[in-house]
Amino acid sequence: MSARSNSAPRLAFVAASTPVARAARVALEKRYGGVTTAQADIIVALGGDGLMLHTLHRNIRRRTPIFGMNLGTVGFLLNQYRAGGLLARLKAARQVTLVPLRMLATTTRGKRHEVIAINEVSLLRSSRQTARIAVSVDGHMRLPDLHCDGALVATPAGSTAYNLSAHGPILPLGAGLLALTPINAFRPRRWRGALLPHHSKVEFIVLDPRKRPVAAAADSVEIADVVKVTVTEANDIPLTLLFDPEHDLEERILKEQFAP
């Protein structure tokens, strides 16, 4: 392990399970030193977007800034991988604050689950039959009977993921909005979703949970057989990502709106 200057941040390196990511972690720890995530000033994540989301979730209460370097596929939430000049990059990095969502889900057995989502909270039908879901916003019933494969609420950071594939809008980071997007809506036929203020409280009620069961997912955590799901902004859990100035997340999201 190399010596660390008094002014250098303590770095924790986490890697995906791929051989290239694990090899990069070994090389970087030898070059810059390494501590545990609990001791770190900055966490450096090596992998793809999946590894970045996993790292954010595992360290969500520590609020340690995370700098990702892409050794995966898409790498939307990560910077380019370069072994050299890491300390200088971290010093010059731009901070981006993400505010996740809080999902409160109640099942048919009366159990309540609270899960945090960084990208989106989604409801999905669990049988061959279309789900029937009532949707209210801030206590006002907006859709008394939505026939669909599901619906989701996405953050700006998550608006380019599942939300976009479901034909939802891309949200700039500073827009102060959430995307409420149906998944294959059958009725109302012309409803394509809504843009909501970020402080909105969205409530989904599953209208026929026995015959038409629905599961709810907060990112990768799935709760089966839900009857009610409430989604609010978890503004008590701000998350900090670090980006090279030339790979700023806000600019990436804007570019996605003009992608061919």
Side-chain angles (χ1 to χ4, degrees):
M1 182 180 293
S2 64
R4 182 177 64 89
S5 70
N6 291 331
S7 61
R10 295 171 297 176
L11 305 181
F13 294 92
V14 297
S17 59
T18 61
V20 65
R22 287 184 291 180
R25 176 179 178 177
V26 171
L28 290 169
E29 286 181 338
K30 184 177 180 180
R31 185 167 186 169
Y32 298 103
V35 299
T36 67
T37 53
Q39 298 169 319
D41 299 312
I42 298 173
I43 297 171
V44 180
L46 307 168
D49 285 329
L51 184 276
M52 173 59 84
L53 287 174
H54 178 72
T55 304
L56 284 165
H57 278 288
R58 289 200 64 178
N59 298 277
I60 203 163
R61 297 293 177 181
R62 292 195 178 102
R63 303 187 183 182
T64 308
I66 301 175
F67 182 86
M69 289 199 285
N70 187 23
L71 288 171
T73 50
V74 179
F76 193 81
L77 296 174
L78 299 101
N79 302 279
Q80 288 185 348
Y81 176 79
R82 294 196 302 272
L86 179 58
L87 295 180
R89 291 173 72 186
L90 293 174
K91 186 176 181 180
R94 179 179 175 184
Q95 290 192 1
V96 173
T97 300
L98 304 182
V99 180
L101 300 173
R102 175 175 284 108
M103 177 182 82
L104 295 174
T106 303
T107 69
T108 54
R109 294 186 176 185
K111 292 185 177 180
R112 290 170 55 85
H113 301 266
E114 178 177 325
V115 190
I116 299 300
I118 296 164
N119 274 355
E120 75 278 320
V121 170
S122 56
L123 278 72
L124 299 164
R125 65 184 175 101
S126 300
S127 74
R128 61 181 178 82
Q129 291 187 301
T130 301
R132 291 178 58 194
I133 302 171
V135 183
S136 71
V137 179
D138 294 329
H140 298 280
M141 183 58 64
R142 298 300 183 185
L143 289 172
D145 195 352
L146 172 64
H147 294 237
C148 59
D149 284 346
L152 63 87
V153 179
T155 66
S159 68
T160 60
Y162 189 15
N163 173 73
L164 181 60
S165 66
H167 307 290
I170 295 175
L171 305 178
L173 277 181
L177 296 171
L178 300 174
L180 172 59
T181 302
I183 302 170
N184 295 332
F186 178 65
R187 288 195 179 96
R189 289 187 181 276
R190 288 181 287 183
W191 190 66
R192 295 294 180 265
L195 294 175
L196 304 176
H198 67 94
H199 50 73
S200 298
K201 178 181 179 180
V202 182
E203 188 172 86
F204 300 100
I205 302 294
V206 180
L207 297 177
D208 196 353
R210 301 293 181 182
K211 184 179 179 182
R212 302 168 184 267
V214 171
D219 289 345
S220 61
V221 178
E222 183 173 311
I223 309 298
D225 299 323
V226 297
V227 294
K228 179 180 177 181
V229 175
T230 301
V231 183
T232 55
E233 192 176 53
N235 52 23
D236 57 320
I237 311 176
L239 305 173
T240 302
L241 297 185
L242 301 176
F243 289 92
D244 292 323
E246 68 271 22
H247 291 284
D248 178 68
L249 181 61
E250 187 168 4
E251 176 63 19
R252 289 186 184 187
I253 292 175
L254 285 172
K255 284 182 178 179
E256 283 294 309
Q257 297 182 79
F258 301 94

